[in-house]
Amino acid sequence: MPGIQQHYIPQFHLRRFGIEPRNKKTLVWRLDKKSGTPGLVEPVEEAVIEHYYSVALDDGRIADHADDVLGRFESDVAPVIERIVSDRDYRISGRDVQTLLLYIVTLKNRTPQAREGLRESDERANELLFEAMLSDRERYHRTMAKHHATVTEMEATRLRLLADLRAGEIVMESGPDREVAMMLASVEGTARKLFEEIGIICLRVPSESNMVFVTSDHPVAHFDPTPKTPESGVSFMSSRNSVTLVAVDPRLALLLIQGHPKTWTDEETDDDYVDEANLLTYAWAQAAIYGSAQASVTRVRELARRNRQLLREFRYRPPRVWIGRT
């Protein structure tokens, strides 16, 4: 049964980065990006917003279908992640990969940063559609003729609305119900496309290394070295060179790559790569990163302070809607 407090980062995901990951009451180290202050927190109190997935129905009831769906994704993926982490010889199945991809897509879409991007894209797209309708004089007149206005009145109204829209005096607003719907609408399609067109590298920290991966309040991070334009958003396949990183455990991260579709490889990584991966995670975090030790999160903070140029290259870049007028 969904509660009032709803998490946008699953508790089981944060617990994997806790001091005692198998303990449901484990604590995890959180580092605040703004202040740089580390501290121990409880996963149950993190990444949580009241009625975050709830939708108010016309009859006044509250629907929590989205929370139910996300809960099923979490239940399905948790044992898959555990098997991959604990057994290097585990033979991954196509079903497991699909389960992971569904989880990764929702893990990205459900954060406040991602929902803000969806909201903005929805509003800009609706503004464009409204402008297109107002710009089509004949269509507008046919639509409005049922209101028994004269041609002169209809045309005056059309031109006034079009001018107000272009001046920013008419704005479109996308409410929480649309955000929740968009958050889930394309999940299966996106996961299916990724399953067909990307490969996954399972990156493990060597047993002799003391390095660990960290996670954040936006756990899915993308990097695109060849964006279509400098202002372009970054996503799973924003260009043929874009990659996606998701740390699922302090000792294991998944790297989604292109050019090797339907492949799964298991590799050990080195300390430098773990540092670089954690810097990417830090760049995409909205407010905080999380780790299994104070030293691990403060190390990432120091890396960010010393590598500002790389941090800028790794920066969070939300989806964009490009609007052109003819």
Side-chain angles (χ1 to χ4, degrees):
M1 178 68 67
I4 295 175
Q5 302 295 328
Q6 297 173 341
H7 293 80
Y8 55 89
I9 306 302
Q11 293 181 66
F12 92 89
H13 193 106
L14 281 183
R15 284 199 300 266
R16 296 205 68 93
F17 293 83
I19 297 172
E20 299 178 277
R22 297 188 182 279
N23 182 348
K24 287 192 174 183
K25 294 186 178 181
T26 187
L27 300 178
V28 61
W29 281 96
R30 178 189 191 274
L31 184 135
D32 183 81
K33 282 187 72 174
K34 185 175 181 180
S35 68
T37 303
L40 283 169
V41 295
E42 299 177 57
V44 69
E45 300 294 340
E46 290 298 303
V48 62
I49 296 175
E50 186 173 310
H51 286 306
Y52 187 57
Y53 307 112
S54 302
V55 174
L57 303 178
D58 292 339
D59 60 6
R61 290 180 299 143
I62 299 296
D64 283 304
H65 302 311
D67 200 34
D68 292 334
V69 171
L70 293 170
R72 287 197 295 273
F73 286 155
E74 294 169 22
S75 297
D76 289 343
V77 82
V80 175
I81 292 175
E82 177 60 28
R83 287 194 295 268
I84 295 168
V85 171
S86 61
D87 183 3
R88 183 165 184 168
D89 295 324
Y90 175 70
R91 294 181 64 84
I92 195 77
S93 68
R95 184 179 181 85
D96 286 347
V97 173
Q98 290 176 324
T99 299
L100 282 167
L101 290 173
L102 281 169
Y103 176 66
I104 288 170
V105 175
T106 58
L107 193 60
K108 172 188 174 177
N109 286 358
R110 65 199 285 184
T111 67
Q113 275 178 292
R115 279 185 54 163
E116 174 65 17
L118 291 171
R119 181 196 61 77
E120 183 178 353
S121 296
D122 187 44
E123 291 175 351
R124 298 295 82 77
N126 281 305
E127 285 176 6
L128 179 60
L129 290 172
F130 189 40
E131 182 174 358
M133 185 193 75
L134 291 173
S135 299
D136 188 336
R137 183 181 184 276
E138 292 184 3
R139 178 187 173 192
Y140 179 84
H141 281 224
R142 286 197 307 270
T143 302
M144 300 305 294
K146 61 184 178 182
H147 297 291
H148 308 295
T150 66
V151 172
T152 301
E153 290 171 337
M154 287 189 292
E155 184 63 8
T157 300
R158 183 184 74 86
L159 293 175
R160 185 183 73 253
L161 290 173
L162 190 58
D164 288 347
L165 180 64
R166 289 175 173 172
E169 296 183 19
I170 296 176
V171 296
M172 300 293 177
E173 293 187 355
S174 181
D177 55 337
R178 287 186 62 85
E179 288 180 26
V180 172
M182 289 186 295
M183 184 184 72
L184 294 176
S186 62
V187 166
E188 288 191 5
T190 301
R192 190 180 308 115
K193 184 176 181 65
L194 294 177
F195 181 78
E196 293 294 332
E197 300 189 24
I198 61 97
I200 300 178
I201 302 176
C202 186
L203 297 170
R204 296 181 188 272
V205 178
S207 57
E208 65 272 14
S209 173
N210 293 321
M211 297 292 288
V212 292
F213 291 109
V214 301
T215 191
S216 82
D217 55 3
H218 193 293
V220 180
H222 304 295
F223 174 59
D224 190 343
T226 56
K228 295 177 181 178
T229 71
E231 298 82 18
S232 294
V234 179
S235 192
F236 294 103
M237 300 174 69
S238 50
S239 87
R240 64 182 182 179
N241 296 312
S242 64
V243 297
T244 300
L245 178 80
V246 190
V248 296
D249 186 86
R251 310 293 293 184
L252 189 145
L254 301 176
L255 187 68
L256 280 58
I257 61 170
Q258 298 178 72
H260 303 278
K262 293 188 176 182
T263 58
W264 175 279
T265 55
D266 200 302
E267 301 177 3
E268 285 193 346
T269 188
D270 58 30
D271 291 358
D272 288 342
Y273 191 90
V274 175
D275 274 340
E276 192 169 292
N278 285 340
L279 194 60
L280 178 61
T281 296
Y282 183 91
W284 277 66
Q286 182 174 28
I289 60 171
Y290 301 91
S292 54
Q294 181 176 356
S296 64
V297 293
T298 55
R299 178 185 177 89
V300 179
R301 173 74 170 186
E302 288 304 312
L303 283 170
R305 291 167 63 89
R306 297 198 308 265
N307 296 274
R308 296 187 184 277
Q309 177 57 41
L310 187 57
L311 196 64
R312 282 192 291 271
E313 294 177 19
F314 282 169
R315 71 189 183 280
Y316 172 74
R317 289 156 63 177
R320 302 290 187 186
V321 174
W322 299 98
I323 299 176
R325 294 188 176 95
T326 60

